[in-house]
Amino acid sequence: CALLSALGFYFSIGLGDQWWLAWLAPIPVLWFAFGPTKYWQTFLVAFFAYALGSSSLIRAYSELMPLPVLILIVSGPAVVFAVPVIAAKRVQQSSGGIAAMFAFAALWAGIDLASSFSAAGGATSSPSAAEIGAPVFIQTASLVGFAGVTFLLGAVAAGIATSLRSKSPAPAAIAIALFAANTAFGAIRMSAPPGGTLRVALIESDDAVGKTQQDDKAVTLKAFDAYAAQIEKLHGQNVKLIVLPEDIGWVGPAWRGDVRATLAKAATVADATLVAGLNTYVDGAQRNVSWAFTPGDGTPVTYQKRRLIQGLETRFFTPGKTPVVLSNGIGLKICKDMDFHAMIRSDAVATHPLLLAVPAWDFHIDDWSHGRVALMRSVENGVPMVRNARDGLLTLNDRYGRIVARAKTTGPFQTLIGDLPLDGRGGNTIYDRIGDVFGWLCLVFGIAATALAFFKRKQPSP
């Protein structure tokens, strides 16, 4: 059972991309849990199933993260999964299969939400991200956030598992009904036509980069000059927004004006808003920023990245504090910011962006794994996104999380152009109005159901 679930998780969560397996992966472990097993056996089976399943992430971060962090990346989500399995086992013994089904789903969703407030990872470890590959199943996030998707994954798997164990069709029937209702809602929501489109270009090269941790004027200016040449080629192509990747280079205060002039001229020639990622000295500290230029304006709007990668970035940069939205409705974010759902929701409610422009920098092998976490924020807040990830993926997605255009970075310059569907401003979904109420209620219900189960006698085995 542990190996079967581990295989399902390995190919769906983490670096996996088989979204359909996420619905099935918990079933073997839950079937085992609902049988005549000891609690410590159940915990170990659940823990190792999820730990092995998420071990694919080691391939992405083994050369970047210290061993304790790698252990936490694998073991933390495994505990988040194993604890609800133990709780569901007890609830099933005291109150039956249907109660156990909902207790497991609620507790998994609630703990998943609570763990997403970690300053180190945010929502990157949530199993809900696996369903980005099938956007019709994640529209529930626009109602209650990503915790609603985790709840559905848990409820469907637990319903099937308890029916297989008890031979009662009722839990599976409820699970199928939930799955069907979620699918119907997603199909209806995604059927709405867009209100318009915006022509967008993403330009990226893994080769044209400046020094990112030291002041090297010649190398960095060469990189920005190369980008400017590519930008100017878009003249006459009706592109209205151009987004470059994160942290193209360290821009020294003494020659910052040279880079500003180069990018401002390129934006004017292309007749488009230009968003470029770099790092420079701002407000007394070195910061990871994006500059946004509008045609004819040589003074950029500056956004400072607010969520930094622990260790890799916190050693060099100071985080920013405030959201930024341009006068034309383009919201500015940078890479790691998109992992923190509460911050992105708060920004969307406060600023109601037309779309998000997100320079990013991934680690090549984790391109889709990390990129799809950002896509969940689009669904939650009903806002399209333009994401340019150096050493990762270039993506355009609509407010439903559908990929409009996508390309993988290759090293040399490449330009991805697409028409991004628009439909009003973001920050107006039901989730934006109620926040994480559903997820917290799930946590309270799961804890209460588990506590109550320990005070009730076990039901006699059939």
Side-chain angles (χ1 to χ4, degrees):
C1 287
L3 290 176
L4 283 172
S5 286
L7 284 172
F9 285 128
Y10 190 88
F11 291 106
S12 58
I13 65 172
L15 300 186
D17 59 2
Q18 300 302 307
W19 59 266
W20 58 276
L21 281 173
W23 296 95
L24 305 177
I27 293 175
V29 161
L30 289 167
W31 178 88
F32 179 81
F34 294 150
T37 58
K38 293 181 172 61
Y39 282 99
W40 67 267
Q41 293 173 327
T42 301
F43 181 86
L44 288 180
V45 166
F47 177 87
F48 282 109
Y50 206 94
L52 289 172
S54 57
S55 65
S56 61
L57 291 170
I58 295 176
R59 292 190 285 121
Y61 305 125
S62 59
E63 297 181 1
L64 299 167
M65 305 293 184
L67 181 60
V69 175
L70 290 175
I71 293 174
L72 184 61
I73 287 174
V74 172
S75 63
V79 172
V80 170
F81 175 70
V83 169
V85 171
I86 289 291
K89 178 179 179 64
R90 178 62 194 185
V91 173
Q92 184 251 1
Q93 290 174 340
S94 65
S95 303
I98 294 177
M101 163 187 169
F102 284 104
F104 170 74
L107 201 53
W108 195 19
I111 299 177
D112 187 32
L113 172 65
S115 66
S116 72
F117 287 89
S118 162
T124 53
S125 63
S126 174
S128 63
E131 296 310 296
I132 292 293
V136 71
F137 298 124
I138 61 171
Q139 301 310 306
T140 300
S142 69
L143 301 177
V144 295
F146 73 90
V149 181
T150 304
F151 176 87
L152 288 166
L153 290 173
V156 170
I160 295 172
T162 193
S163 284
L164 290 173
R165 175 61 78 174
S166 67
K167 303 298 188 289
S168 170
I174 295 173
I176 293 170
L178 284 172
F179 183 84
N182 179 63
T183 305
F185 171 74
I188 293 170
R189 184 169 189 264
M190 294 173 66
S191 65
T197 60
L198 184 75
R199 196 156 182 79
V200 179
L202 302 176
I203 303 175
E204 196 279 337
S205 171
D206 294 338
D207 299 332
V209 294
K211 300 290 186 180
T212 58
Q213 297 174 13
Q214 63 183 13
D215 189 333
D216 191 323
K217 179 179 178 181
V219 171
T220 304
L221 283 180
K222 181 179 178 181
F224 280 105
D225 286 342
Y227 270 102
Q230 298 295 318
I231 294 167
E232 292 177 6
K233 291 179 181 179
L234 297 175
H235 173 71
Q237 297 191 38
N238 198 36
V239 170
K240 297 303 178 185
L241 172 63
I242 303 167
V243 179
L244 309 186
E246 177 185 8
D247 202 1
I248 295 172
W250 180 322
V251 176
W255 45 277
R256 189 157 48 204
D258 296 339
V259 175
R260 284 182 174 178
T262 297
L263 294 177
K265 176 178 177 291
T268 300
V269 171
D271 192 27
T273 298
L274 170 64
V275 178
L278 55 117
N279 80 80
T280 190
Y281 202 73
V282 180
D283 296 333
Q286 197 73 20
R287 300 180 191 268
N288 187 331
V289 306
S290 63
W291 279 351
F293 297 85
T294 53
D297 189 352
T299 303
V301 174
T302 301
Y303 169 74
Q304 303 171 21
K305 187 176 183 180
R306 289 177 286 163
R307 296 290 186 168
L308 304 174
I309 301 174
Q310 299 293 313
L312 293 180
E313 290 185 305
T314 51
R315 290 179 296 171
F316 307 105
F317 302 132
T318 299
K321 296 180 180 180
T322 58
V324 173
V325 173
L326 306 182
S327 59
N328 57 13
I330 297 172
L332 304 181
K333 298 287 181 284
I334 300 176
C335 199
K336 188 68 177 173
D337 290 334
M338 300 301 294
D339 295 346
F340 294 85
H341 71 286
M343 185 184 81
I344 299 302
R345 173 186 164 270
S346 177
D347 292 351
V349 171
T351 63
H352 295 287
L354 183 68
L355 62 90
L356 297 180
V358 186
W361 186 356
D362 291 333
F363 301 116
H364 185 65
I365 196 171
D366 75 336
D367 50 9
W368 178 237
S369 173
H370 192 213
R372 65 188 180 185
V373 175
L375 266 74
M376 186 67 79
R377 309 288 86 83
S378 281
V379 182
E380 289 172 338
N381 303 290
V383 58
M385 181 176 63
V386 181
R387 187 175 186 270
N388 185 337
R390 172 178 165 188
D391 202 19
L393 294 175
L394 317 180
T395 55
L396 307 180
N397 67 269
D398 66 8
R399 67 197 302 263
Y400 308 112
R402 285 181 297 206
I403 299 293
V404 176
R406 168 176 164 169
K408 187 174 178 64
T409 62
T410 58
F413 271 109
Q414 62 178 325
T415 300
L416 177 67
I417 300 176
D419 294 316
L420 185 67
L422 303 177
D423 190 13
R425 297 292 187 118
N428 295 309
T429 64
I430 292 177
Y431 172 68
D432 286 319
R433 296 185 179 94
I434 68 172
D436 293 311
V437 170
F438 175 80
W440 294 125
L441 287 176
C442 280
L443 185 61
V444 171
F445 172 80
I447 293 173
T450 304
L452 181 63
F454 276 98
F455 286 101
K456 291 180 65 176
R457 293 183 177 180
K458 294 182 181 180
Q459 290 184 345
S461 300

PDB file of all heavy atoms in Angstrom, residues 123-139:
ATOM      1  N   ALA A 123       2.866  28.130   0.094  1.00  0.00           N
ATOM      2  CA  ALA A 123       1.976  27.043  -0.340  1.00  0.00           C
ATOM      3  C   ALA A 123       2.622  26.113  -1.359  1.00  0.00           C
ATOM      4  O   ALA A 123       1.922  25.380  -2.059  1.00  0.00           O
ATOM      5  CB  ALA A 123       0.694  27.632  -0.916  1.00  0.00           C
ATOM      6  N   THR A 124       3.943  26.101  -1.426  1.00  0.00           N
ATOM      7  CA  THR A 124       4.612  25.310  -2.470  1.00  0.00           C
ATOM      8  C   THR A 124       4.402  23.809  -2.311  1.00  0.00           C
ATOM      9  O   THR A 124       4.461  23.074  -3.291  1.00  0.00           O
ATOM     10  CB  THR A 124       6.127  25.586  -2.476  1.00  0.00           C
ATOM     11  OG1 THR A 124       6.645  25.391  -1.155  1.00  0.00           O
ATOM     12  CG2 THR A 124       6.419  27.011  -2.921  1.00  0.00           C
ATOM     13  N   SER A 125       4.176  23.339  -1.079  1.00  0.00           N
ATOM     14  CA  SER A 125       4.056  21.891  -0.864  1.00  0.00           C
ATOM     15  C   SER A 125       2.616  21.396  -0.936  1.00  0.00           C
ATOM     16  O   SER A 125       2.373  20.202  -0.750  1.00  0.00           O
ATOM     17  CB  SER A 125       4.652  21.509   0.494  1.00  0.00           C
ATOM     18  OG  SER A 125       3.924  22.119   1.550  1.00  0.00           O
ATOM     19  N   SER A 126       1.663  22.255  -1.216  1.00  0.00           N
ATOM     20  CA  SER A 126       0.265  21.822  -1.239  1.00  0.00           C
ATOM     21  C   SER A 126       0.006  20.839  -2.378  1.00  0.00           C
ATOM     22  O   SER A 126       0.390  21.092  -3.524  1.00  0.00           O
ATOM     23  CB  SER A 126      -0.657  23.031  -1.406  1.00  0.00           C
ATOM     24  OG  SER A 126      -2.000  22.611  -1.577  1.00  0.00           O
ATOM     25  N   PRO A 127      -0.670  19.723  -2.091  1.00  0.00           N
ATOM     26  CA  PRO A 127      -0.983  18.769  -3.167  1.00  0.00           C
ATOM     27  C   PRO A 127      -1.968  19.337  -4.177  1.00  0.00           C
ATOM     28  O   PRO A 127      -2.087  18.813  -5.280  1.00  0.00           O
ATOM     29  CB  PRO A 127      -1.595  17.587  -2.409  1.00  0.00           C
ATOM     30  CG  PRO A 127      -2.141  18.181  -1.145  1.00  0.00           C
ATOM     31  CD  PRO A 127      -1.184  19.274  -0.786  1.00  0.00           C
ATOM     32  N   SER A 128      -2.655  20.416  -3.822  1.00  0.00           N
ATOM     33  CA  SER A 128      -3.629  21.012  -4.741  1.00  0.00           C
ATOM     34  C   SER A 128      -2.983  21.481  -6.029  1.00  0.00           C
ATOM     35  O   SER A 128      -3.626  21.510  -7.090  1.00  0.00           O
ATOM     36  CB  SER A 128      -4.338  22.191  -4.061  1.00  0.00           C
ATOM     37  OG  SER A 128      -3.410  23.222  -3.733  1.00  0.00           O
ATOM     38  N   ALA A 129      -1.701  21.843  -5.974  1.00  0.00           N
ATOM     39  CA  ALA A 129      -1.017  22.352  -7.171  1.00  0.00           C
ATOM     40  C   ALA A 129      -0.954  21.317  -8.281  1.00  0.00           C
ATOM     41  O   ALA A 129      -0.842  21.676  -9.461  1.00  0.00           O
ATOM     42  CB  ALA A 129       0.394  22.814  -6.811  1.00  0.00           C
ATOM     43  N   ALA A 130      -1.044  20.036  -7.937  1.00  0.00           N
ATOM     44  CA  ALA A 130      -0.992  18.989  -8.965  1.00  0.00           C
ATOM     45  C   ALA A 130      -2.114  19.142  -9.976  1.00  0.00           C
ATOM     46  O   ALA A 130      -1.967  18.757 -11.148  1.00  0.00           O
ATOM     47  CB  ALA A 130      -1.068  17.611  -8.303  1.00  0.00           C
ATOM     48  N   GLU A 131      -3.246  19.713  -9.550  1.00  0.00           N
ATOM     49  CA  GLU A 131      -4.416  19.794 -10.433  1.00  0.00           C
ATOM     50  C   GLU A 131      -4.371  20.970 -11.399  1.00  0.00           C
ATOM     51  O   GLU A 131      -5.296  21.139 -12.195  1.00  0.00           O
ATOM     52  CB  GLU A 131      -5.688  19.850  -9.593  1.00  0.00           C
ATOM     53  CG  GLU A 131      -5.929  18.608  -8.771  1.00  0.00           C
ATOM     54  CD  GLU A 131      -5.826  17.343  -9.621  1.00  0.00           C
ATOM     55  OE1 GLU A 131      -6.658  17.164 -10.540  1.00  0.00           O
ATOM     56  OE2 GLU A 131      -4.903  16.546  -9.369  1.00  0.00           O
ATOM     57  N   ILE A 132      -3.326  21.765 -11.352  1.00  0.00           N
ATOM     58  CA  ILE A 132      -3.184  22.868 -12.311  1.00  0.00           C
ATOM     59  C   ILE A 132      -3.164  22.328 -13.737  1.00  0.00           C
ATOM     60  O   ILE A 132      -3.585  22.994 -14.685  1.00  0.00           O
ATOM     61  CB  ILE A 132      -1.901  23.672 -12.024  1.00  0.00           C
ATOM     62  CG1 ILE A 132      -2.040  24.418 -10.691  1.00  0.00           C
ATOM     63  CG2 ILE A 132      -1.595  24.650 -13.138  1.00  0.00           C
ATOM     64  CD1 ILE A 132      -3.078  25.505 -10.686  1.00  0.00           C
ATOM     65  N   GLY A 133      -2.702  21.094 -13.902  1.00  0.00           N
ATOM     66  CA  GLY A 133      -2.675  20.491 -15.230  1.00  0.00           C
ATOM     67  C   GLY A 133      -4.053  20.249 -15.808  1.00  0.00           C
ATOM     68  O   GLY A 133      -4.188  20.003 -17.011  1.00  0.00           O
ATOM     69  N   ALA A 134      -5.088  20.302 -14.985  1.00  0.00           N
ATOM     70  CA  ALA A 134      -6.475  20.132 -15.434  1.00  0.00           C
ATOM     71  C   ALA A 134      -7.308  21.254 -14.803  1.00  0.00           C
ATOM     72  O   ALA A 134      -7.956  21.038 -13.778  1.00  0.00           O
ATOM     73  CB  ALA A 134      -7.021  18.765 -15.040  1.00  0.00           C
ATOM     74  N   PRO A 135      -7.281  22.457 -15.377  1.00  0.00           N
ATOM     75  CA  PRO A 135      -7.888  23.631 -14.729  1.00  0.00           C
ATOM     76  C   PRO A 135      -9.359  23.475 -14.376  1.00  0.00           C
ATOM     77  O   PRO A 135      -9.837  24.141 -13.451  1.00  0.00           O
ATOM     78  CB  PRO A 135      -7.688  24.744 -15.769  1.00  0.00           C
ATOM     79  CG  PRO A 135      -6.500  24.318 -16.563  1.00  0.00           C
ATOM     80  CD  PRO A 135      -6.596  22.821 -16.631  1.00  0.00           C
ATOM     81  N   VAL A 136     -10.095  22.600 -15.063  1.00  0.00           N
ATOM     82  CA  VAL A 136     -11.516  22.448 -14.764  1.00  0.00           C
ATOM     83  C   VAL A 136     -11.740  21.983 -13.322  1.00  0.00           C
ATOM     84  O   VAL A 136     -12.786  22.259 -12.730  1.00  0.00           O
ATOM     85  CB  VAL A 136     -12.179  21.466 -15.753  1.00  0.00           C
ATOM     86  CG1 VAL A 136     -11.721  20.034 -15.505  1.00  0.00           C
ATOM     87  CG2 VAL A 136     -13.696  21.568 -15.689  1.00  0.00           C
ATOM     88  N   PHE A 137     -10.746  21.314 -12.721  1.00  0.00           N
ATOM     89  CA  PHE A 137     -10.908  20.778 -11.375  1.00  0.00           C
ATOM     90  C   PHE A 137     -10.491  21.751 -10.275  1.00  0.00           C
ATOM     91  O   PHE A 137     -10.656  21.432  -9.087  1.00  0.00           O
ATOM     92  CB  PHE A 137     -10.108  19.481 -11.216  1.00  0.00           C
ATOM     93  CG  PHE A 137     -10.548  18.381 -12.141  1.00  0.00           C
ATOM     94  CD1 PHE A 137      -9.655  17.775 -13.004  1.00  0.00           C
ATOM     95  CD2 PHE A 137     -11.866  17.947 -12.145  1.00  0.00           C
ATOM     96  CE1 PHE A 137     -10.058  16.763 -13.858  1.00  0.00           C
ATOM     97  CE2 PHE A 137     -12.282  16.938 -12.984  1.00  0.00           C
ATOM     98  CZ  PHE A 137     -11.386  16.342 -13.855  1.00  0.00           C
ATOM     99  N   ILE A 138      -9.928  22.907 -10.620  1.00  0.00           N
ATOM    100  CA  ILE A 138      -9.406  23.803  -9.580  1.00  0.00           C
ATOM    101  C   ILE A 138     -10.200  25.097  -9.458  1.00  0.00           C
ATOM    102  O   ILE A 138      -9.797  25.989  -8.712  1.00  0.00           O
ATOM    103  CB  ILE A 138      -7.923  24.144  -9.835  1.00  0.00           C
ATOM    104  CG1 ILE A 138      -7.759  24.861 -11.180  1.00  0.00           C
ATOM    105  CG2 ILE A 138      -7.058  22.899  -9.744  1.00  0.00           C
ATOM    106  CD1 ILE A 138      -6.372  25.420 -11.390  1.00  0.00           C
ATOM    107  N   GLN A 139     -11.322  25.212 -10.161  1.00  0.00           N
ATOM    108  CA  GLN A 139     -12.088  26.452 -10.083  1.00  0.00           C
ATOM    109  C   GLN A 139     -12.703  26.658  -8.702  1.00  0.00           C
ATOM    110  O   GLN A 139     -13.073  27.784  -8.336  1.00  0.00           O
ATOM    111  CB  GLN A 139     -13.167  26.471 -11.173  1.00  0.00           C
ATOM    112  CG  GLN A 139     -12.627  26.355 -12.589  1.00  0.00           C
ATOM    113  CD  GLN A 139     -11.502  27.332 -12.867  1.00  0.00           C
ATOM    114  OE1 GLN A 139     -11.650  28.543 -12.666  1.00  0.00           O
ATOM    115  NE2 GLN A 139     -10.355  26.815 -13.321  1.00  0.00           N
TER     116      GLN A 139
END
